[in-house]
């Protein structure tokens, strides 16, 4: 039963039609009568051996050939169907010589199949309105391969075509020598693009934690030797062995009658027959302690991995054999007790870290890993090279939890958190997207459990409250840390700092219980908090001019955009926009921008520090996300109707009476310093660190702070920079969702309306506009310390866009989609030089102008010139001739469907209208949104390419390995034109 605790563990259709045009309804789908639906007294296959009440919205079936399916009607978003085809085979099913074949087969399945010609899969699904990589995707794990397709704007013909295409892919991929020859470079590029240091740690950690089990040496990506040794016959043999109907589950959730969906599954998968005899899955193996190990402390394999550019991290696992279970209510009650026990320990560990402990963070997490191990993982990051003290401190907190029962107050606190999550799931059930519902069933099948309706989860939880006693939680805590074997891995940047023997000895040493981080009972209520100030008044309240959205102005100048609607019952979004964003900083104080992103909220409000903020929001659905955009700062939260007033109080209090605790700043400094060196371990890390800095002409405010800059930063300096920024500039509050209008307006008066007058944004901040340099003669060469076969290339063209020319900015999205398709075809599909090249447009939403189109690709060092040449040739082609109408349709149709689907949620409308109180043009521009994205002509795109992409040299960035020289010529056969 997929309880959310395992991870702790509408817009009205008329509205969409009014703005975006009438969609084609799926209700006219011609019914195909299924014969294998499990009805009446038949127990659906997923509930066999379980007493969990079935979720009656799902319809289950099992066909004579063994294929199982689960289908349901779901209208979120309208007119979309989400299909998942799960094959019960992944990398753990491979023989030694087949490593990587499950993933390679996934690629070849998309290459060519019974109904899809060679290389036409991307175009085929784009014509159906699906975006490749988002709506059309697949994944391979150790235990399964899952094909995913989200199809928008469905109608009977499209549904029939999609099921036909998918059945041909799964049953009859065309596994030819040509297909293998074309897909192998793509898979090798994907393997090559994985961060080398992180990948080494992952591989070696897996070998240690799962020693003696198949999972130890079977990563889904495989090995270069086995992949290059693949033959069509060998891949076909893997397909015939595992791609069989009895190993397959089809899950469908979408805006069509469940009987229709079941009929389509049976129509297209009913005649499928496996080739040859059924083959049982291999024995995955059990975790076992070494001979002679102490049964009370069975420490087994340990490893110390030295990676000079990675931060310190220590993980140990208490492992038990994984076994299938009967997924009963009693079993799930045990899981809930396990989850609560973990939550108590994690809260204590976080409290100790916040107080300035020996570790930056620490976490306990029980996980059933790939049907291989039922393990409790303990992970933490030592702050210094004294890893032994950090390990002792973490183990001390756990030892205390195992020795002494928690207080009932601690238990009640976590129960309140669980309750709000489960209750919210019930409230939000009607707006759960079909794609998530389908994914949830796939996850349940993979771990051999059932699915439960949100009401069932809440009922089971509330019905067992008398079981959440200190004695029961103590018993479950002890069971979490009892196992067959304990294994550990320590990652350190320093040679000689530790040995495997020293780590083993430290794990064998008795843990000394430490109860200092137990949280004392402290009752905090919003009713007891001081008022922010004298409540203001509403001086203006009128329609915004679109839909039923209101624009409210308070007496102190704060404005609000409010939309009370039932599109997402039980949900509301609150967003606050204030100040001047990134442009508020200069070279001298830019370090505090980076620290503010992680420490500003944690430094508290009024009398509330981070611990008090956590406590006061217990049992509430509240949030406090902070972001720095180019021209504005934002607070954002997903909440519920009952909590909106208190959510507004927290946000307003941060502006009106901020607190300045030092520990969050010190912790943010430590985290940033630990992460800094790891950026250099791969080309992608260097891009993450330097791309914005380079793109904006090496403007210091976009630079990632260095360790020296972080060392120089202080809590006092943090306050000196941020305190005036919280007081500057206009404030706009947006509340979109399900709420009581009168109550929200009253809460606005008492919170944001009570703020003192705002100070103006300084002129020097307003004058700062990020500038992307144009006509750059030389390639910027950056270096990484990772794998010698890895490099990255980036090209940035300065563009317009921004709030003064939103239509052009939207056209950039169409242009970049075209460029992306062409670059993907060249660098991935044709040459195999890059697995995931991508083109995107960035433009400042709150500034008058500025922005860029960027093309990025992970390549081999010798292929960097080819990437630059391909980008040049693609933009020249587009400037020389308008794109064919058929090619343009391949990008405008998915964009149209993306907008149509997004428009069924409040987040879409909030994003489109934020800033409208200071920039009213946005309201009028919303009406042209769909046409701007979908009715642009080939000639307009050609003109856009000529205007911005040619006639000046773009910024080029190459990230290559240290010690290498950038090649200047294009490799033979690469990027030679189409």
């Amino acid at each position: 039963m997929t309880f959310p605790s395992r991870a702790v563990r509408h817009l009205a259709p008329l509205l969409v039609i009014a703005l975006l045009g009438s969609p084609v309804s799926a209700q006219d789908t011609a019914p195909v009568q299924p014969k294998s639906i499990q009805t009446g007294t038949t127990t659906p296959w997923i509930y066999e051996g379980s007493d969990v009440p079935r979720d009656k919205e799902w319809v289950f079936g099992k066909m004579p050939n063994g294929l199982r399916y689960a289908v349901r009607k779901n209208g979120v978003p309208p007119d979309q169907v989400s299909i998942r085809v799960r094959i019960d085979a992944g990398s753990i099913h491979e023989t030694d010589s087949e490593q990587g074949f499950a993933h390679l087969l996934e690629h070849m399945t998309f290459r060519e199949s019974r109904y899809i010609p060679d290389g036409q899969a991307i175009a085929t699904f784009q014509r159906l309105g699906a975006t490749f990589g988002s709506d059309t995707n697949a994944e391979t794990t150790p235990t399964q391969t899952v094909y995913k397709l989200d199809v928008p704007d469905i109608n009977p013909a499209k549904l029939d075509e999609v099921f036909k295409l998918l059945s041909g892919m799964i049953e009859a991929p065309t596994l030819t020598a040509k297909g293998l020859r074309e897909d192998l470079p793509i898979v090798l590029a994907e393997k090559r693009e994985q961060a080398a240091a992180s990948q080494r740690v992952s591989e070696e950690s897996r070998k240690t934690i799962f020693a003696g089990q198949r999972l130890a040496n079977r990563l889904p990506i495989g090995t270069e030797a086995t992949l290059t040794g693949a033959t069509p016959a060998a891949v076909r043999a893997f397909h015939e062995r595992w791609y069989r109907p009895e190993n397959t589950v089809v899950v469908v959730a979408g805006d069509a009658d469940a009987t229709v969906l079941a009929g389509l599954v049976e129509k297209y998968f009913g005649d499928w027959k496996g080739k040859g005899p059924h083959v049982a899955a291999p024995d995955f193996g059990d975790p076992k302690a070494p001979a002679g190990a102490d049964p009370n402390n069975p420490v087994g394999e340990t490893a110390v991995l030295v990676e000079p550019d990675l931060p310190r991290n220590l993980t140990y696992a208490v492992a038990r054999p994984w076994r299938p279970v009967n997924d009963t209510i009693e079993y799930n009650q045990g899981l809930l007790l396990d989850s609560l026990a973990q939550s108590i320990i994690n809260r204590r560990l976080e409290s100790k870290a916040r107080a300035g402990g020996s570790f930056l963070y620490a976490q306990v997490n029980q996980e059933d890993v790939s049907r291989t191990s039922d393990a409790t993982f303990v992970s933490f990051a030592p702050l210094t090279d004294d890893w032994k003290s950090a390990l002792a401190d973490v183990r001390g907190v756990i030892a205390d939890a195992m020795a002494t029962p928690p207080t009932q107050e601690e238990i009640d606190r976590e129960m309140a958190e669980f309750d709000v999550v489960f209750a919210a799931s019930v409230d939000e059930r009607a707006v759960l997207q079909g794609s998530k519902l389908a994914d949830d069933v796939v996850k349940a099948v993979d771990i051999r459990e059932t699915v439960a309706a949100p009401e069932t989860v809440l009922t089971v939880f509330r019905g067992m409250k008398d079981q959440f006693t200190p004695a029961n939680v103590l018993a479950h805590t002890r069971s979490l840390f009892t196992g067959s074997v304990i294994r550990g891995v320590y990652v350190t940047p320093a040679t000689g700092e530790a040995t495997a023997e020293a780590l083993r000895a430290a794990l064998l040493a008795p843990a000394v219980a430490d109860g200092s981080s137990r949280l004392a009972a402290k009752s905090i209520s919003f009713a007891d908090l001081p008022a922010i100030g004298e409540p203001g008044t509403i001086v203006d309240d009128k329609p915004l001019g679109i839909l039923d959205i209101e624009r409210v102005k308070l007496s102190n100048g704060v404005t609000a955009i409010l939309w009370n609607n039932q599109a997402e019952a039980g949900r509301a979004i609150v967003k606050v926009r204030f100040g001047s964003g990134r442009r508020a900083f200069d070279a001298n104080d830019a370090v505090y921008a980076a620290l503010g992103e992680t420490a500003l909220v944690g430094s508290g409000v009024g009398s509330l520090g981070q611990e008090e903020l956590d406590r006061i929001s217990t049992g509430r659905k509240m949030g406090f996300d902070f972001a720095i955009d180019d021209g504005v700062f934002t607070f954002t939260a997903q909440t519920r109707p009952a909590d909106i007033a208190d959510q507004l109080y927290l946000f307003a209090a941060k502006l009106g009476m901020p607190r300045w605790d030092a520990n969050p700043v010190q912790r943010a400094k430590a985290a940033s310093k630990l992460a800094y060196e790891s950026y250099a371990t791969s080309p992608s890390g260097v891009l993450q660190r330097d791309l914005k800095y380079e793109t904006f002409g090496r403007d210091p405010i976009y630079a990632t702070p260095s360790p020296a800059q972080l060392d120089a930063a202080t809590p006092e300096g943090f306050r000196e920079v941020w305190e005036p920024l919280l007081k500057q500039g206009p404030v706009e509050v947006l509340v979109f969702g399900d709420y009581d209008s009168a109550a929200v307006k009253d809460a606005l008066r008492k919170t944001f309306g009570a703020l003192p007058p705002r100070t103006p944004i300084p002129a020097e901040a307003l004058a700062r506009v990020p500038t992307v340099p144009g006509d750059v003669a030389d390639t910027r060469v950056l270096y990484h310390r990772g794998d010698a076969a890895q490099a990255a290339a980036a090209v940035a063209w300065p563009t317009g866009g921004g709030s003064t020319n939103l239509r052009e900015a939207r056209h950039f999205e169409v242009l970049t989609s075209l460029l992306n398709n062409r670059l993907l075809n060249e660098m991935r599909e044709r040459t195999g030089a890059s697995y995931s090249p991508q083109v995107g447009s960035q433009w400042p939403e709150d500034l008058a102008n500025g922005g860029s189109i960027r093309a990025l690709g992970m390549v081999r060092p010798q292929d960097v010139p080819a990437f630059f040449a391909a980008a040049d040739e693609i933009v020249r082609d587009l400037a020389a001739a308008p794109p064919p109408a058929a090619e343009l349709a391949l990008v405008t149709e998915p964009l149209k469907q993306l907008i149509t689907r997004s428009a069924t949620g409040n987040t879409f409308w909030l994003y489109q209208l934020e800033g409208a109180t200071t920039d009213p043009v946005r309201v009028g521009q919303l009406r042209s949104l769909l046409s701007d994205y979908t009715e642009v002509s080939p000639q307009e795109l050609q003109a856009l390419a000529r205007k911005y992409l040619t006639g000046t040299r773009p910024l080029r960035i190459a990230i290559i390995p240290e010690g290498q020289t950038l090649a200047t010529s294009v490799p033979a056969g690469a990027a030679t034109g189409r």
Side-chain angles (χ1 to χ4, degrees), residues 318-336:
V318 182
R320 300 163 289 270
W322 179 88
R323 294 290 183 268
V325 298
N326 286 327
D327 191 18
T328 62
I329 291 176
E330 182 180 4
Y331 167 73
N332 283 280
Q333 289 173 334
L335 292 180
L336 286 166

Side-chain angles (χ1 to χ4, degrees), residues 236-313:
R236 189 174 301 110
F238 185 89
H239 178 271
E240 292 179 356
R241 190 186 324 137
W242 300 115
Y243 279 57
R244 305 171 59 90
E246 62 268 33
N247 290 340
T248 303
V249 171
V250 178
V251 183
V252 192
D255 203 358
D257 185 89
T259 304
V260 171
L261 298 174
L264 287 167
V265 175
E266 294 192 18
K267 175 181 178 180
Y268 283 107
F269 289 93
D271 294 334
W272 184 19
K273 293 181 174 59
K275 295 184 179 179
H278 174 76
V279 178
D283 183 355
F284 293 180
D286 286 338
K288 297 177 181 178
D294 179 355
N296 295 316
N297 192 16
V299 178
E301 290 79 1
T302 56
V304 173
L305 310 177
V306 179
E307 287 290 346
D309 297 318
L310 292 185
R312 291 177 176 85
N313 179 271

Side-chain angles (χ1 to χ4, degrees), residues 88-133:
D88 195 37
S91 61
I92 210 166
H93 295 75
E94 299 162 348
T95 64
D96 288 345
S97 63
E98 292 176 331
Q99 290 184 56
F101 278 27
H103 177 244
L104 176 60
L105 177 57
E106 171 207 310
H107 278 262
M108 295 187 71
T109 296
F110 271 102
R111 167 71 52 184
E112 182 181 5
S113 55
R114 179 181 289 159
Y115 305 115
I116 298 178
D118 182 21
Q120 294 300 306
I122 295 176
T124 297
F125 288 115
Q126 283 180 331
R127 278 193 291 271
L128 294 170
T131 303
F132 185 76

Side-chain angles (χ1 to χ4, degrees), residues 818 878 881-886 888-889 935-945:
L818 275 174
L878 196 52
L888 181 56
E935 295 178 9
V936 55
S937 71
Q939 291 72 26
E940 285 177 297
L941 291 179
Q942 179 190 19
L944 204 62

Side-chain angles (χ1 to χ4, degrees), residues 694-828:
E694 295 288 345
T695 301
F696 290 119
R698 297 181 175 172
D699 186 332
I701 69 171
Y702 290 98
T704 300
S706 68
Q709 291 172 311
L710 292 165
D711 284 335
T714 65
E716 295 76 19
F718 184 88
R719 177 174 183 172
E720 184 179 346
V721 169
W722 276 104
E723 193 164 27
L725 295 182
L726 295 179
K727 300 176 182 178
Q728 287 178 8
V731 175
E732 178 184 81
V733 183
L734 299 101
V735 184
F736 279 44
D738 179 8
Y739 61 83
D740 179 88
S741 291
V744 166
K745 291 176 183 177
D746 188 53
L748 280 170
R749 286 195 317 103
K750 295 174 180 177
T751 56
F752 285 93
L755 291 174
R758 307 285 292 173
T759 60
I761 297 172
E764 59 268 25
L766 294 174
R768 293 188 191 112
V769 177
T771 302
V772 179
D775 203 24
V776 182
D778 299 322
T779 299
R780 302 267 176 86
V781 182
L782 309 176
Y783 297 93
H784 68 87
R785 296 193 293 269
D787 194 301
Q790 292 183 332
V795 183
W797 295 268
T799 61
S803 60
T804 58
N805 196 348
L806 193 55
R807 173 178 167 81
E808 190 170 78
R810 290 168 177 169
H811 285 178
F812 286 145
E813 299 295 332
V814 183
L815 180 63
T816 54
S817 295
L818 275 174
L819 295 173
N820 195 77
N821 276 1
R822 292 189 180 188
L823 190 64
L824 185 72
N825 183 64
E826 176 62 38
M827 298 304 295
R828 171 176 164 159

Side-chain angles (χ1 to χ4, degrees), residues 10-20 542-551 561-565 567 736-737 902-913 922-924 926-927 929:
H10 276 158
L11 284 182
L14 290 177
L15 189 59
V16 181
I17 292 170
L19 281 177
L20 303 177
K542 61 185 179 183
L544 185 66
I546 193 166
L547 305 173
D548 296 321
I549 301 174
E550 298 175 272
R551 181 187 186 277
I561 300 176
L562 309 176
W563 190 20
N564 178 12
N565 67 82
F736 279 44
S902 300
T904 61
N906 282 310
T907 302
F908 170 86
W909 300 100
L910 184 148
Y911 175 76
Q912 298 297 329
L913 290 170
R922 298 187 186 198
V923 177
L926 182 59
R927 302 182 190 280
L929 175 71

